[in-house]
Amino acid sequence: MQAILKRNLNTKQCISMMALLAAAAASAVLAQSVKGATDGAANWPQRPVRMMVGFSAGSATDLSARTLAPKLSDLWGQPVVIENRTGAGSSIANAMAAQATPDGYTLLVISASFAINAVLRSNAGYDPLKDFTSVSQIGYSTGALVVTPSLGVKTVKQLIAAANERPGKILYGSAGAGSGIHMTAERFRMSAGIKTTHVAFKGQPEMLIEILAGRVHYGIPGLGPALGMIRDGRLWAIAVVTPKRSPLLPDVPAMVEILPNFRRDASHAIMAPAKTPRAIVNKISRDVAKVLDMPDVKKQLEAVDFIPAASTPEEFDKILRGMLVTFDEVAKSAGLKAQ
């Protein structure tokens, strides 16, 4: 009997020892995994980071990128290089970024056109959900409905009247077919019940030049690129496309004061290629939030009436999915996509 008890005791001791060893091994694996994830972020970046923009230098999206880039460069100790790849309403840049190595060294700064193009084009060259991972929202730009002085209209109601008198003859510009500016202008056209003709350009600077020259009658650029031209009278701002008036143009009405059913989506954000390590994505997101909270950055953005609004990757993923649903509905309603 004593031998049996002794044997049972030894068995229990062995089982306990094996359990302890298994727990220790699991802890070691977990610690190594956490260490690997931390090291992946801690050692990044070790070379320059490319920040791609699908619009021209001087556009609203480009201004967002160029505001962040030098501050992120300071935080990371590496250059952050802006690469403008214009064309197809930002689809060229989006498709290139989708194919980049997912190591955090290629980032994409987007506007609403990122979602719009995916909705409008079956051959856009990228899938916004499968080919990318959200990093952080940057914020919202303020847009202004501007007209060329040669058109002779000074209010939204006058523009609507002119368009009704000359259906299809009034031209509006955009930063490319499927760009955020295009969709905003299309939503204005629908809300106003007018028939006007779209003219696409590579970016906002090119569009603004044509409006200044009077070859295009109106557009809805970001306030940042257009503000100087508005203040010196070369463009007339007749509305801002925000829920309330802009402190930079307090005498210009908000579009909803005239057309209560008007809405606009204007998020700027940073995306990374799918499968970019989560530790790196989270680090970039945190650092973007740090930059947007810097007093000098806030002041710089306020000067062009851009509202900073950082987010977690998960928060912007929700925003992006909502934008895809909204723009799909608008595109169908506007006849830009089959029902």
Side-chain angles (χ1 to χ4, degrees), residues 289-302:
K290 287 179 187 176
V291 169
L292 291 174
D293 199 41
M294 294 177 179
D296 57 331
V297 171
K298 286 182 177 179
K299 185 176 180 180
Q300 186 177 347
L301 294 174
E302 286 170 1

PDB file of all heavy atoms in Angstrom, residues 289-302:
ATOM      1  N   ALA A 289      -1.737  61.696 -33.993  1.00  0.00           N
ATOM      2  CA  ALA A 289      -2.519  62.384 -32.951  1.00  0.00           C
ATOM      3  C   ALA A 289      -1.647  63.387 -32.188  1.00  0.00           C
ATOM      4  O   ALA A 289      -2.095  64.500 -31.873  1.00  0.00           O
ATOM      5  CB  ALA A 289      -3.126  61.360 -31.997  1.00  0.00           C
ATOM      6  N   LYS A 290      -0.390  63.004 -31.901  1.00  0.00           N
ATOM      7  CA  LYS A 290       0.530  63.926 -31.218  1.00  0.00           C
ATOM      8  C   LYS A 290       0.758  65.182 -32.047  1.00  0.00           C
ATOM      9  O   LYS A 290       0.745  66.299 -31.528  1.00  0.00           O
ATOM     10  CB  LYS A 290       1.877  63.227 -30.964  1.00  0.00           C
ATOM     11  CG  LYS A 290       1.874  62.185 -29.879  1.00  0.00           C
ATOM     12  CD  LYS A 290       3.261  61.561 -29.768  1.00  0.00           C
ATOM     13  CE  LYS A 290       3.264  60.373 -28.810  1.00  0.00           C
ATOM     14  NZ  LYS A 290       4.595  59.700 -28.778  1.00  0.00           N
ATOM     15  N   VAL A 291       0.996  64.986 -33.342  1.00  0.00           N
ATOM     16  CA  VAL A 291       1.266  66.128 -34.230  1.00  0.00           C
ATOM     17  C   VAL A 291       0.050  67.044 -34.303  1.00  0.00           C
ATOM     18  O   VAL A 291       0.163  68.271 -34.212  1.00  0.00           O
ATOM     19  CB  VAL A 291       1.659  65.631 -35.638  1.00  0.00           C
ATOM     20  CG1 VAL A 291       1.673  66.788 -36.632  1.00  0.00           C
ATOM     21  CG2 VAL A 291       3.030  64.957 -35.603  1.00  0.00           C
ATOM     22  N   LEU A 292      -1.141  66.469 -34.459  1.00  0.00           N
ATOM     23  CA  LEU A 292      -2.350  67.278 -34.588  1.00  0.00           C
ATOM     24  C   LEU A 292      -2.671  68.038 -33.306  1.00  0.00           C
ATOM     25  O   LEU A 292      -3.427  69.014 -33.337  1.00  0.00           O
ATOM     26  CB  LEU A 292      -3.534  66.394 -34.984  1.00  0.00           C
ATOM     27  CG  LEU A 292      -3.482  65.818 -36.394  1.00  0.00           C
ATOM     28  CD1 LEU A 292      -4.634  64.845 -36.624  1.00  0.00           C
ATOM     29  CD2 LEU A 292      -3.508  66.921 -37.449  1.00  0.00           C
ATOM     30  N   ASP A 293      -2.087  67.603 -32.194  1.00  0.00           N
ATOM     31  CA  ASP A 293      -2.330  68.282 -30.917  1.00  0.00           C
ATOM     32  C   ASP A 293      -1.288  69.369 -30.628  1.00  0.00           C
ATOM     33  O   ASP A 293      -1.395  70.069 -29.630  1.00  0.00           O
ATOM     34  CB  ASP A 293      -2.335  67.250 -29.778  1.00  0.00           C
ATOM     35  CG  ASP A 293      -3.027  67.768 -28.528  1.00  0.00           C
ATOM     36  OD1 ASP A 293      -4.080  68.431 -28.663  1.00  0.00           O
ATOM     37  OD2 ASP A 293      -2.518  67.519 -27.411  1.00  0.00           O
ATOM     38  N   MET A 294      -0.301  69.516 -31.503  1.00  0.00           N
ATOM     39  CA  MET A 294       0.734  70.533 -31.310  1.00  0.00           C
ATOM     40  C   MET A 294       0.148  71.919 -31.580  1.00  0.00           C
ATOM     41  O   MET A 294      -0.519  72.127 -32.592  1.00  0.00           O
ATOM     42  CB  MET A 294       1.921  70.280 -32.237  1.00  0.00           C
ATOM     43  CG  MET A 294       2.684  69.006 -31.940  1.00  0.00           C
ATOM     44  SD  MET A 294       4.028  68.737 -33.142  1.00  0.00           S
ATOM     45  CE  MET A 294       4.730  67.201 -32.493  1.00  0.00           C
ATOM     46  N   PRO A 295       0.394  72.898 -30.690  1.00  0.00           N
ATOM     47  CA  PRO A 295      -0.195  74.232 -30.853  1.00  0.00           C
ATOM     48  C   PRO A 295       0.119  74.886 -32.198  1.00  0.00           C
ATOM     49  O   PRO A 295      -0.770  75.507 -32.803  1.00  0.00           O
ATOM     50  CB  PRO A 295       0.421  75.025 -29.699  1.00  0.00           C
ATOM     51  CG  PRO A 295       0.718  73.993 -28.654  1.00  0.00           C
ATOM     52  CD  PRO A 295       1.145  72.775 -29.420  1.00  0.00           C
ATOM     53  N   ASP A 296       1.357  74.762 -32.678  1.00  0.00           N
ATOM     54  CA  ASP A 296       1.698  75.416 -33.948  1.00  0.00           C
ATOM     55  C   ASP A 296       1.002  74.744 -35.130  1.00  0.00           C
ATOM     56  O   ASP A 296       0.641  75.400 -36.115  1.00  0.00           O
ATOM     57  CB  ASP A 296       3.210  75.455 -34.166  1.00  0.00           C
ATOM     58  CG  ASP A 296       3.857  74.082 -34.146  1.00  0.00           C
ATOM     59  OD1 ASP A 296       3.332  73.178 -33.458  1.00  0.00           O
ATOM     60  OD2 ASP A 296       4.893  73.899 -34.822  1.00  0.00           O
ATOM     61  N   VAL A 297       0.785  73.425 -35.026  1.00  0.00           N
ATOM     62  CA  VAL A 297       0.066  72.719 -36.088  1.00  0.00           C
ATOM     63  C   VAL A 297      -1.405  73.129 -36.078  1.00  0.00           C
ATOM     64  O   VAL A 297      -2.005  73.385 -37.130  1.00  0.00           O
ATOM     65  CB  VAL A 297       0.212  71.194 -35.936  1.00  0.00           C
ATOM     66  CG1 VAL A 297      -0.714  70.447 -36.897  1.00  0.00           C
ATOM     67  CG2 VAL A 297       1.661  70.777 -36.185  1.00  0.00           C
ATOM     68  N   LYS A 298      -1.999  73.188 -34.899  1.00  0.00           N
ATOM     69  CA  LYS A 298      -3.391  73.640 -34.787  1.00  0.00           C
ATOM     70  C   LYS A 298      -3.563  75.032 -35.396  1.00  0.00           C
ATOM     71  O   LYS A 298      -4.520  75.296 -36.132  1.00  0.00           O
ATOM     72  CB  LYS A 298      -3.827  73.664 -33.321  1.00  0.00           C
ATOM     73  CG  LYS A 298      -4.075  72.293 -32.702  1.00  0.00           C
ATOM     74  CD  LYS A 298      -4.553  72.461 -31.269  1.00  0.00           C
ATOM     75  CE  LYS A 298      -4.881  71.123 -30.636  1.00  0.00           C
ATOM     76  NZ  LYS A 298      -5.334  71.279 -29.235  1.00  0.00           N
ATOM     77  N   LYS A 299      -2.607  75.912 -35.100  1.00  0.00           N
ATOM     78  CA  LYS A 299      -2.668  77.280 -35.620  1.00  0.00           C
ATOM     79  C   LYS A 299      -2.567  77.286 -37.139  1.00  0.00           C
ATOM     80  O   LYS A 299      -3.281  78.024 -37.829  1.00  0.00           O
ATOM     81  CB  LYS A 299      -1.551  78.118 -35.007  1.00  0.00           C
ATOM     82  CG  LYS A 299      -1.607  79.584 -35.380  1.00  0.00           C
ATOM     83  CD  LYS A 299      -0.526  80.369 -34.647  1.00  0.00           C
ATOM     84  CE  LYS A 299      -0.589  81.853 -35.015  1.00  0.00           C
ATOM     85  NZ  LYS A 299       0.456  82.637 -34.298  1.00  0.00           N
ATOM     86  N   GLN A 300      -1.666  76.456 -37.663  1.00  0.00           N
ATOM     87  CA  GLN A 300      -1.476  76.371 -39.110  1.00  0.00           C
ATOM     88  C   GLN A 300      -2.744  75.869 -39.802  1.00  0.00           C
ATOM     89  O   GLN A 300      -3.137  76.381 -40.853  1.00  0.00           O
ATOM     90  CB  GLN A 300      -0.297  75.443 -39.412  1.00  0.00           C
ATOM     91  CG  GLN A 300       0.096  75.381 -40.879  1.00  0.00           C
ATOM     92  CD  GLN A 300       1.325  74.507 -41.094  1.00  0.00           C
ATOM     93  OE1 GLN A 300       2.026  74.138 -40.142  1.00  0.00           O
ATOM     94  NE2 GLN A 300       1.601  74.166 -42.339  1.00  0.00           N
ATOM     95  N   LEU A 301      -3.382  74.869 -39.212  1.00  0.00           N
ATOM     96  CA  LEU A 301      -4.602  74.315 -39.804  1.00  0.00           C
ATOM     97  C   LEU A 301      -5.778  75.276 -39.674  1.00  0.00           C
ATOM     98  O   LEU A 301      -6.594  75.395 -40.579  1.00  0.00           O
ATOM     99  CB  LEU A 301      -4.927  72.969 -39.155  1.00  0.00           C
ATOM    100  CG  LEU A 301      -3.923  71.849 -39.433  1.00  0.00           C
ATOM    101  CD1 LEU A 301      -4.274  70.604 -38.630  1.00  0.00           C
ATOM    102  CD2 LEU A 301      -3.863  71.528 -40.919  1.00  0.00           C
ATOM    103  N   GLU A 302      -5.856  75.960 -38.542  1.00  0.00           N
ATOM    104  CA  GLU A 302      -6.931  76.933 -38.349  1.00  0.00           C
ATOM    105  C   GLU A 302      -6.840  78.061 -39.369  1.00  0.00           C
ATOM    106  O   GLU A 302      -7.860  78.645 -39.761  1.00  0.00           O
ATOM    107  CB  GLU A 302      -6.871  77.504 -36.929  1.00  0.00           C
ATOM    108  CG  GLU A 302      -7.360  76.530 -35.858  1.00  0.00           C
ATOM    109  CD  GLU A 302      -7.064  77.010 -34.453  1.00  0.00           C
ATOM    110  OE1 GLU A 302      -6.486  78.121 -34.313  1.00  0.00           O
ATOM    111  OE2 GLU A 302      -7.393  76.286 -33.494  1.00  0.00           O
TER     112      GLU A 302
END
